[in-house]
Each structure stands twice: as structure tokens, then as C-alpha cells.
Amino acid sequence: MIDNDFTYPPTLEELKQILIQRKLKAKQESIQEKSQVELAAQYARAEITHATQGPASEADAATRLAICMACEHRAVTYKEQTDAGGVGWCTKCGCGNNPRAMLTVKVTLAGVEFPLGKWGKVEGTGASVASAVDAVAGVAKSIIHKLGG
């Protein structure tokens, strides 16, 4: 089925746009189908990468944050919590309103990728005791948040 915004027969550019829209919709549907176990495993892998590779570079984090700030899926208030810093959370990733899922944190985790493909995983700047401690603390805080404490 061809989107009504396009001419018939569609031009090559319109066909590309249709394909992009369909891929985006399929990716969104697959995100919605992820179980809590899959999301937890994905998060654990991101924290392991943070512990073993260190954080994303300041340049990578800034690029990611700029993309997030312009994204229609960013919310400053999400699931009854408000980010006082004004950046907020992604409403598409499935991470919820966990403080570790705040975009100001998430963009610094080298092993995280945006679920709709706007930005991907990057190499960390190098493992350190600080990045390992931060990863362990992040997991602990996430567990406490999930348990409602």
C-alpha cells in the first residue's frame, strides 16, 4: 500500500521515503515487543561495555545529545517524573524513567544505541576503575529503582 502523500506512480525518491517509513515502523513494532528480560539483558550489556571500555567521548556524547534534544520522542516529564535539568528521557527505548535512563546519562554510555537508529554504539574512551564503579553503581541504582525503593 502506498502512502497517500505520494504521487502514483511514485518517484524513486518517494519509494525511498516509503521504504524508510516501513523500516521505521517495523523497528518501532519490534521495540514494543521486547520483553522486560530482553530490556534488562540489553541494559546489562551496556553497563558491561561501560565498565570495560569506559564512557563515550565528550564529542560522541554531545552529538548523541543534540540528536535527542531535537527528537520528538524525548520527554522532560515521563511516567510522573520530571527532569529538573530539562533534558529528560527517551519514550521509545523501553527503559522507563529510571534515573540511569535519563538522556544525560544514557548518551555517555558507549554501549547504548538509540532504538530507532538515530545513533549507535561507539567505542569507549578507555576502561578505568571509575567507569567500572560507575557501571556497578548504575546497575545497583536501577535495581533499587525497579524495586520501588
Side-chain angles (χ1 to χ4, degrees):
M1 186 170 135
I2 297 178
D3 191 325
N4 292 335
D5 292 339
F6 299 108
T7 60
Y8 187 81
T11 65
L12 182 58
E13 189 57 39
E14 289 172 332
L15 287 172
K16 287 179 186 177
Q17 289 300 315
I18 291 168
L19 183 59
I20 289 169
Q21 288 175 359
R22 287 183 180 169
K23 284 182 179 180
L24 184 61
K25 183 178 179 184
K27 191 152 188 137
Q28 288 173 332
E29 289 170 355
S30 73
I31 290 166
Q32 292 171 349
E33 295 173 4
K34 284 186 178 179
S35 72
Q36 290 297 312
V37 172
E38 290 171 314
L39 289 170
Q42 182 178 326
Y43 171 67
R45 285 190 296 275
E47 290 290 10
I48 289 168
T49 299
H50 186 61
T52 60
Q53 291 185 14
S57 70
E58 288 183 19
D60 285 332
T63 298
R64 289 169 155 191
L65 187 57
I67 292 167
C68 292
M69 293 301 287
C71 183
E72 67 276 13
H73 302 296
R74 179 180 68 88
V76 175
T77 299
Y78 185 55
K79 296 188 177 184
E80 301 179 15
Q81 286 201 340
T82 300
D83 176 10
V87 177
W89 295 267
C90 173
T91 62
K92 288 294 179 183
C93 66
C95 295
N97 64 353
N98 180 338
R100 192 71 173 168
M102 293 175 76
L103 290 171
T104 51
V105 174
K106 198 170 222 176
V107 298
T108 67
L109 299 175
V112 173
E113 61 187 330
F114 182 75
L116 300 179
K118 293 186 180 186
W119 50 263
K121 297 176 184 179
V122 296
E123 288 295 317
T125 57
S128 67
V129 171
S131 65
V133 168
D134 186 47
V136 171
V139 170
K141 289 175 186 174
S142 295
I143 291 169
I144 292 167
H145 178 80
K146 190 69 175 171
L147 295 175

